[in-house]
Amino acid sequence: MYDIIAGVAIGVVLGTISGLIPGIHANTMAGILLSVQGALLVVAGPAALAVSMFSALVTHTFLDAVPAAFLGVPDADTAISVLPSHRMCLEGRAGEAVRLSAIGGAFGTAISLPLFAAFYFLLPSLQGYIDWWIGIILITFAGILILQSESPEWSFAVFMVSGILGLLTFRYSWLSWNTLGDSSFLMPLLTGLFGISVLLHTKHGKMPPQENKGVSLSLRDIAKSGTAGTVAGAVVGWLPGLSNASANAVLASIFRIEKEGEGFITATGAANTANAFLALAAFYAISRTRNGVMVALSQGDIPPVTTLLFAGALAAFAAYILTIVLSGSASLFSGIDARKLGFAVIGFVTILCLVFTGPFGLVILVLATMTGLVPYYVNIRRIPCIGAVMLPVICWSFGLL
């Protein structure tokens, strides 16, 4: 029990750091833990290392909602949800956006635990059929996204251009410095498409007073959104080649983000956390690693699955409390010049891209920003930009990559 508590504590600290700093993922923290595992084993047993890695992943899925809402800067997990979150920030409701995401994460944790058993025992025998259908499923959801848009022609064009940019990014990711691991090249891609391209059009004026009230969604709507998000995150957590961004793209075809932004934020919060738990199920059931944390787990002593599930639940509880507490800090942004804040954030993430991914990352950042600006000028939603993630996965599923 000492090893579990120690591991959870370390994981929560590292997951909080990775969640609050754009561009740093829990995968990075797993790599750090592997590099210092000798020292960690002196303090605690081998189970603590695995527990800390998984706890960091779960914690990250809660805390990454804070920079998405307060700063309008996404990571790979919050690419689409940053749009309604930052809009709520400009309406004085940033704290509510963070709380909704935390509630979704808690909901996703609660439902993921029974789903874990169902996936673990039932799906391995069906894996061959599941792998074959991935591309078809994503093409279906991409078609729904495009046809539901204001201009299907422009949406298709944006989807394809962003998809081609994603293909180039994945294909030549070896040019990236990969300072923070193999997935760091996603930072400039998604930051340009969903972050900087939005911040460049921030209007002049001061940030409105940030309210520190409850949430506007009813319990029924929370349950509905949380269930949808958990199912999407669970499916993506099991299927190969997919990420949280893919789950959020699927949810974007279900929710009308402009009118149902609160529900969408709750759903994506649930999806991100459910993805972490069901990725663990895929790791134990069929020995497939869905993210960098699972890869790191495979390189050490693997504790019983019940140990990691218990640790993940403890980490989720601690992360939920931390996220709710931090949501109250939204008032610190009241009265700040919105445009100056936006340009300060742009400068900060540009420096991060240079440090973490090198010149290759800056090129991708510029191209992604230019692509992300197109929806603004042709008056369509920015959701089709998720083609940057979906198109590479579709091509991979058909053996084209």
Side-chain angles (χ1 to χ4, degrees):
M1 182 59 69
Y2 168 77
D3 291 350
I4 295 176
I5 299 301
V8 170
I10 294 171
V12 168
V13 171
L14 295 180
T16 300
I17 294 172
S18 66
L20 294 179
I21 301 178
I24 298 181
H25 195 267
N27 295 344
T28 304
M29 297 305 174
I32 293 174
L33 286 169
L34 278 179
S35 66
V36 298
Q37 61 178 315
L40 184 60
L41 291 175
V42 174
V43 180
L49 180 63
V51 165
S52 59
M53 290 181 187
F54 186 61
S55 297
L57 176 62
V58 172
T59 302
H60 181 98
T61 65
F62 282 83
L63 273 298
D64 62 0
V66 176
F70 292 177
L71 303 177
V73 180
D75 66 7
D77 297 338
T78 59
I80 303 180
S81 62
V82 72
L83 302 178
S85 293
H86 193 55
R87 173 179 58 78
M88 291 179 68
C89 179
L90 297 178
E91 295 173 353
R93 302 164 59 202
E96 180 184 353
V98 174
R99 286 190 290 275
L100 285 170
S101 181
I103 291 171
F107 198 96
T109 301
I111 300 182
S112 292
L113 296 178
L115 277 180
F116 188 100
F119 277 43
Y120 184 88
F121 291 108
L122 298 179
L123 292 188
S125 61
L126 303 174
Q127 195 60 41
Y129 299 100
I130 293 172
D131 291 347
W132 189 85
W133 278 93
I134 294 173
I136 296 175
I137 293 172
L138 288 182
I139 289 175
T140 301
F141 281 109
I144 294 173
L145 279 174
I146 292 170
L147 293 176
Q148 286 181 340
S149 68
E150 300 81 357
S151 172
E153 296 83 2
W154 274 112
S155 293
F156 177 75
V158 170
F159 181 90
M160 293 303 298
V161 170
S162 63
I164 292 172
L165 179 60
L167 287 170
L168 293 175
T169 303
F170 281 88
R171 175 65 178 82
Y172 295 101
S173 60
W174 55 272
L175 291 172
S176 173
W177 286 356
N178 291 337
T179 306
L180 295 180
D182 294 338
S183 63
S184 60
F185 62 86
L186 286 174
M187 179 192 177
L189 178 65
L190 297 176
T191 296
L193 290 170
F194 296 99
I196 293 180
S197 59
V198 175
L199 294 174
L200 284 174
H201 290 101
T202 300
K203 296 181 180 180
H204 291 282
K206 296 184 181 300
M207 296 284 282
Q210 298 294 320
E211 301 176 355
N212 192 20
K213 299 180 180 179
V215 296
S216 57
L217 281 185
S218 65
L219 288 177
R220 179 179 178 181
D221 289 335
I222 289 175
K224 174 184 174 183
S225 301
T227 300
T230 301
V231 171
V235 170
V236 168
W238 184 275
L239 295 177
L242 304 185
S243 65
N244 286 336
S246 302
N248 296 342
V250 171
L251 291 170
S253 67
I254 300 174
F255 289 84
R256 295 171 298 174
I257 294 182
E258 291 79 6
K259 297 181 179 180
E260 300 176 304
E262 294 85 351
F264 181 74
I265 293 171
T266 305
T268 53
N272 293 341
T273 305
N275 181 280
F277 280 96
L278 273 302
L280 186 68
F283 174 65
Y284 274 89
I286 56 177
S287 300
R288 289 190 178 182
T289 53
R290 295 290 185 255
N291 52 54
V293 172
M294 298 302 125
V295 173
L297 282 175
S298 67
Q299 298 179 21
D301 293 331
I302 305 174
V305 65
T306 51
T307 299
L308 289 186
L309 283 178
F310 177 69
L314 285 180
F317 177 76
Y320 173 79
I321 299 298
L322 280 171
T323 307
I324 295 298
V325 170
L326 288 175
S327 70
S329 62
S331 58
L332 298 175
F333 291 86
S334 300
I336 295 179
D337 187 286
R339 194 162 183 81
K340 289 182 179 179
L341 176 62
F343 280 114
V345 172
I346 290 173
F348 175 70
V349 296
T350 301
I351 293 173
L352 285 181
C353 284
L354 178 61
V355 172
F356 296 158
T357 61
F360 172 78
L362 288 183
V363 172
I364 296 299
L365 182 67
V366 171
L367 294 176
T369 300
M370 294 172 62
T371 304
L373 289 172
V374 173
Y376 176 84
Y377 290 110
V378 299
N379 197 29
I380 63 172
R381 296 182 298 169
R382 193 169 272 101
I383 304 302
C385 290
I386 201 59
V389 175
M390 294 185 74
L391 188 59
V393 175
I394 290 172
C395 292
W396 172 85
S397 67
F398 291 119
L400 302 178
L401 285 180

